[in-house]
Amino acid sequence: MMSDKFKQVVTADYLRQNFTADENPNMLVVNRLDATMDAIKAYILKHQLTTGDPLPTEAKLCADLGVSRSSVREALRKLEALDIISVRQGRGSVVGEMSMQPLVETLVLKNALDHTQGTRSLRSIVATRRFLDLGVAEEIVTNMKGTSNPHLAELVSEMTRKAQHNELFPNEDIAFHTALLRSLNNNLIEQLMQAMWLVHQAIIPELMGNDAQSLLHTAKSHQKMLDAAENGDLESYLEAIDEHYQPLDQIIKDNEEAARQA
């Protein structure tokens, strides 16, 4: 629970802006908009609101913040684009899901536009996924040691079946990793990992094609991860993560080499 003093400081920091007479008028508009957005975020913090909780009406926000209705509406529109709030027609605004979807869309677009950097963005995304997988490995193995997970075993079996028929298995892949992450009871890590996975799935299939050998290698690495987690074998689990990323690393390497020769 935040103290009243802390709430006041947080709100004051969000609202503090220096508007001077000689300031560029366009910059003044931007600063006022940013300040309005920050003040609404401060309200959410101050009142410790969560997803679905209602925000004050536009009229009340205008009165409380001392800004015009157009500033409030524009701020709400931008906050909605960031999934911080959700505007419901005829019902006002509520706190949004605050999901990673805006991040996913930005990263996918960035990679699509990143022609000059080749596969650098993709390499960064895959590296981030790897770092996260390695970072949570010990806790996953500790939490899953001695457990039985038939649902995960079924997912691996379906991955293997599809790999043998030269079929990709993105749905089974994300379901597998999501189930592992749920053992952590850490919603932020789960959302971040899913975001990185969605970004790389939006890009990798175009580069990968249906390489049966790589697909089978990936399916087997999932089986090894599951076995290691249930056996409490951290070393084998880390080895399985490394094996999981080997086909991705090779795809990136091959595309970088092709780009150099083009």
Side-chain angles (χ1 to χ4, degrees):
M1 183 73 69
M2 292 188 289
S3 69
D4 288 339
K5 180 63 176 176
F6 181 71
K7 292 174 185 176
Q8 292 170 9
V9 171
V10 169
T11 304
D13 283 345
Y14 271 123
L15 291 173
R16 188 176 295 115
Q17 295 289 335
N18 297 315
F19 300 139
T20 61
D22 59 351
E23 193 167 12
N24 184 307
N26 291 330
M27 185 60 68
L28 181 61
V29 171
V30 172
N31 286 343
R32 185 181 294 114
L33 174 59
D34 288 344
T36 305
M37 291 173 62
D38 287 342
I40 295 171
K41 292 184 230 175
Y43 181 93
I44 293 172
L45 283 172
K46 179 179 179 181
H47 296 276
Q48 300 184 50
L49 303 182
T50 58
T51 298
D53 288 342
L55 290 169
T57 64
E58 288 184 6
K60 182 167 175 51
L61 286 173
C62 291
D64 289 349
L65 305 179
V67 295
S68 68
R69 178 159 292 195
S70 61
S71 293
V72 167
R73 286 180 176 172
E74 181 65 10
L76 292 174
R77 186 185 68 80
K78 288 203 168 187
L79 290 172
E80 184 176 28
L82 295 171
D83 205 18
I84 293 174
I85 69 150
S86 176
V87 178
R88 298 176 177 176
Q89 192 67 28
R91 298 173 57 189
S93 302
V94 299
V95 178
E97 295 289 339
M98 300 191 193
S99 70
M100 296 286 182
Q101 189 58 36
L103 172 65
V104 172
E105 293 179 7
T106 299
L107 288 175
V108 170
L109 179 60
K110 182 180 185 299
N111 189 84
L113 295 174
D114 199 8
H115 301 299
T116 59
Q117 299 295 332
T119 54
R120 183 178 299 178
S121 292
L122 179 57
R123 181 178 288 280
S124 297
I125 291 164
V126 171
T128 301
R129 275 199 65 199
R130 189 200 304 264
F131 293 149
L132 289 170
D133 275 333
L134 292 172
V136 300
E138 184 172 2
E139 189 172 354
I140 285 177
V141 170
T142 298
N143 292 344
M144 293 185 62
K145 181 179 180 180
T147 65
S148 177
N149 302 273
H151 175 59
L152 289 176
E154 289 177 8
L155 289 173
V156 174
S157 294
E158 184 62 11
M159 291 183 204
T160 303
R161 186 193 69 78
K162 287 188 173 182
Q164 290 171 341
H165 289 82
N166 289 9
E167 298 177 20
L168 299 175
F169 39 80
N171 293 335
E172 292 77 13
D173 195 336
I174 187 60
F176 179 90
H177 289 283
T178 298
L180 290 182
L181 291 168
R182 282 179 183 156
S183 70
L184 303 176
N185 293 317
N186 187 323
N187 188 55
L188 180 59
I189 286 291
E190 185 176 334
Q191 284 191 39
L192 185 56
M193 290 285 280
Q194 287 178 342
M196 293 298 101
W197 186 92
L198 288 171
V199 172
H200 118 219
Q201 279 299 320
I203 303 163
I204 281 289
E206 296 180 9
L207 304 177
M208 186 173 183
N210 291 19
D211 181 350
Q213 185 175 355
S214 294
L215 291 173
L216 280 170
H217 181 100
T218 301
K220 288 179 181 178
S221 69
H222 284 85
Q223 182 66 63
K224 185 172 181 178
M225 289 174 68
L226 177 58
D227 291 341
E230 292 179 340
N231 293 329
D233 187 344
L234 178 59
E235 183 176 354
S236 293
Y237 188 87
L238 294 174
E239 289 176 358
I241 290 175
D242 183 62
E243 291 177 11
H244 178 274
Y245 283 99
Q246 285 176 6
L248 296 176
D249 291 337
Q250 190 60 50
I251 290 169
I252 293 171
K253 182 178 179 181
D254 291 344
N255 278 271
E256 288 177 336
E257 182 63 27
R260 282 194 293 269
Q261 295 178 359

